Amino acid sequence: MRGPWKFAIYLGVGLFLVALSILLLLWSVGFMESGFVATSLLTALSGFTLLSGGLYVLRLSAYVYAVERGAR
Amino acid sequence: MRGPAPSQVLIFVVPRLVAAALLWDALSRLPAAADLLRQPLALAGSAGLALWLASAVLSALAVALASPSFYAAAMVVGAVERAVAGHGVSVPAISVAGLLVLSLFDSVSSTYSKGQGRFVKLEGHPLLTWLSLVATFLALLGFSVAGGRAVAGLYETLSGAKISWLGLSLSTFILYRLMVLLAVSLATVTVVSQAFEVVFAYLRPSRERAMAYLASDFESDAFPEPPLGSLKALLLSSFVSPLLYAPVDAALAPALASALSFLGWYAAWASSAILAATVYALAAFAIHRMDKLMGLGPLHFMAACLVLLAGVYAGGVYFKYAETGDLLASATSPDFARLSSYVASAYANYYNIFYGLVEYLPKLMGVAP
């Protein structure tokens, strides 16, 4: 991809991962309220892992953006 | 001999004055703490006195060092102490303003040297820059507040399931609640701090800093599983140890029960409990060690999944073989129903043992009636 738009890929992936993780965490809360404890814990674990991955990709996107369009 | 410059005196004195306000507040609460001691509830009194002592020591350290971390810790301990004394959890707004002042002076003093006061010229429209900075600051402050709310809400729901029996036994198990609280608060703090970093990197992109960071070795920056390393070992062990415990119990429990026959009626249960606790501790230790030895590459995951599949298949084959005695028939049609009922009963027995341990042990030791 030419030009200073490479950061958009990272940004998209990062936002997608964070959205997925928020969905999983909300599901986890719903499962716990219905009494499915093990499912709730499993989705909570998946949500936290995806959250960490998504934040890492978002940080990478910020640094790539700074490299591409940085002032100095 | 020239005295210190007025700006240096200012930087030295002002943060210490602000922290001294907190110390004064803590000292003025000494009569209340002493009153707590005279109450008949000795436990509440000693907790209140210990908290007051901690907040006084922390605020004294904050005055001595002018450090915002000690100030924040003293604020938190003071709020907890006020909650224990029955006034409800509250942090006065003045204290938070004092924390901001302290942080400002701390960051200024770390980069300021004598006689170097100069004005910095920012490019861009001044009003827009100011507005954008203030708006960003308020938005990120909102992030932090939302993070605190998320910790409270997530902790309440993740530890408040009372419908199923497993949920009930887990939600009254204090170790589980502590683990959930620790996990949620660690995750929220890390999320908020990384969000701050990302937003500021987008607002003021700097090429040199980004290149330096990307070129450096930052692969060791993983979150949140390593901070929860030992907790994860405990959690994984609680999943794995019932399976390990069931055959061990079937094999060793009668021998152990006869060795403990001096306990009389408790002997069988005590031997099961000892075996369960030992298996749990050994499994947690092994998982912790294994985690440090191997990495978490994709090949390792695949190997673990294949081992798990092979184990399940072997279990099915074993149960069919125990029933029919024909190896070829059991290899082609493994009995998964008996395997799953065996596994379910193993888990149920194991957690019953743990629940009984938590319930009976204080009674045995005379703590609870």
Side-chain angles (χ1 to χ4, degrees):
Chain A
M1 192 177 258
R2 287 300 150 94
W5 284 103
K6 273 187 271 202
F7 78 96
I9 306 177
Y10 285 104
L11 191 63
V13 170
L15 286 178
F16 173 71
L17 284 179
V18 168
L20 201 59
S21 82
I22 292 180
L23 187 66
L24 280 176
L25 286 175
L26 287 176
W27 277 355
S28 154
V29 168
F31 280 134
M32 186 56 91
E33 282 175 359
S34 317
F36 300 119
V37 173
T39 315
S40 157
L41 289 181
L42 194 61
T43 40
L45 185 66
S46 318
F48 278 131
T49 315
L50 280 179
L51 188 65
S52 84
L55 280 177
Y56 189 65
V57 174
L58 277 182
R59 260 200 316 157
L60 278 183
S61 85
Y63 284 122
V64 169
Y65 176 76
V67 166
E68 283 177 351
R69 301 200 185 194
R72 188 182 65 82
Chain B
M1 187 162 77
R2 299 182 53 186
S7 46
Q8 267 189 326
V9 171
L10 211 61
I11 288 186
F12 185 81
V13 161
V14 171
R16 289 184 167 80
L17 274 182
V18 172
L22 201 67
L23 181 61
W24 177 256
D25 187 52
L27 286 177
S28 71
R29 270 183 278 125
L30 173 59
D35 266 341
L36 274 176
L37 255 190
R38 278 187 232 118
Q39 279 178 359
L41 280 80
L43 195 61
S46 64
L49 192 62
L51 280 175
W52 173 84
L53 201 63
S55 75
V57 164
L58 280 173
S59 35
L61 279 173
V63 170
L65 298 173
S67 144
S69 340
F70 278 116
Y71 185 87
M75 248 172 46
V76 169
V77 175
V80 172
E81 183 204 339
R82 252 178 255 123
V84 165
H87 298 304
V89 178
S90 66
V91 175
I94 291 274
S95 304
V96 179
L99 181 64
L100 285 178
V101 168
L102 225 62
S103 311
L104 177 71
F105 273 93
D106 190 47
S107 45
V108 164
S109 72
S110 63
T111 54
Y112 178 77
S113 12
K114 184 167 146 182
Q116 257 194 11
R118 228 163 257 271
F119 287 104
V120 175
K121 192 155 173 73
L122 274 181
E123 61 209 26
H125 195 254
L127 186 62
L128 272 185
T129 313
W130 266 112
L131 278 182
S132 66
L133 279 178
V134 168
T136 314
F137 181 71
L138 285 179
L140 294 176
L141 206 64
F143 252 121
S144 315
V145 170
R149 287 260 161 261
V151 168
L154 212 56
Y155 168 69
E156 277 305 315
T157 45
L158 276 183
S159 63
K162 292 195 183 339
I163 303 184
S164 66
W165 63 268
L166 182 63
L168 184 63
S169 62
L170 273 186
S171 57
T172 49
F173 201 37
I174 188 125
L175 195 62
Y176 171 71
R177 291 183 82 120
L178 214 59
M179 287 197 305
V180 169
L181 182 65
L182 203 61
V184 171
S185 31
L186 272 178
T188 313
V189 163
T190 321
V191 164
V192 168
S193 69
Q194 293 205 356
F196 265 80
E197 210 177 309
V198 168
V199 170
F200 273 115
Y202 265 106
L203 281 184
R204 286 270 181 266
S206 150
R207 191 185 203 125
E208 285 180 356
R209 274 203 57 214
M211 290 291 273
Y213 185 76
L214 284 177
S216 72
D217 179 28
F218 65 97
E219 294 306 309
S220 52
D221 216 20
F223 139 94
E225 301 315 313
L228 300 174
S230 43
L231 289 178
K232 183 175 77 163
L234 283 178
L235 201 59
L236 280 179
S237 159
S238 73
F239 281 142
V240 164
S241 41
L243 286 177
L244 294 174
Y245 162 76
V248 167
D249 185 54
L252 290 180
L256 197 57
S258 60
L260 289 174
S261 58
F262 61 87
L263 281 177
W265 180 72
Y266 277 114
W269 175 85
S271 67
S272 308
I274 291 178
L275 280 176
T278 318
V279 168
Y280 183 78
L282 283 178
F285 185 67
I287 289 176
H288 198 52
R289 275 308 157 97
M290 255 175 23
D291 223 15
K292 275 190 200 163
L293 281 181
M294 20 183 258
L296 279 185
L299 277 182
H300 288 121
F301 271 133
M302 204 163 81
C305 293
L306 283 177
V307 163
L308 198 63
L309 273 179
V312 169
Y313 178 71
V317 167
Y318 170 75
F319 273 104
K320 187 78 174 197
Y321 183 69
E323 198 179 305
T324 59
D326 187 4
L327 196 56
L328 187 61
S330 37
T332 49
S333 60
D335 192 355
F336 286 128
R338 295 252 319 251
L339 174 69
S340 48
S341 67
Y342 177 76
V343 167
S345 66
Y347 271 89
N349 283 340
Y350 190 78
Y351 280 112
N352 277 335
I353 297 262
F354 253 106
Y355 195 57
L357 195 71
V358 169
E359 190 182 338
Y360 287 132
L361 209 55
K363 289 186 192 172
L364 280 177
M365 297 196 183
V367 172

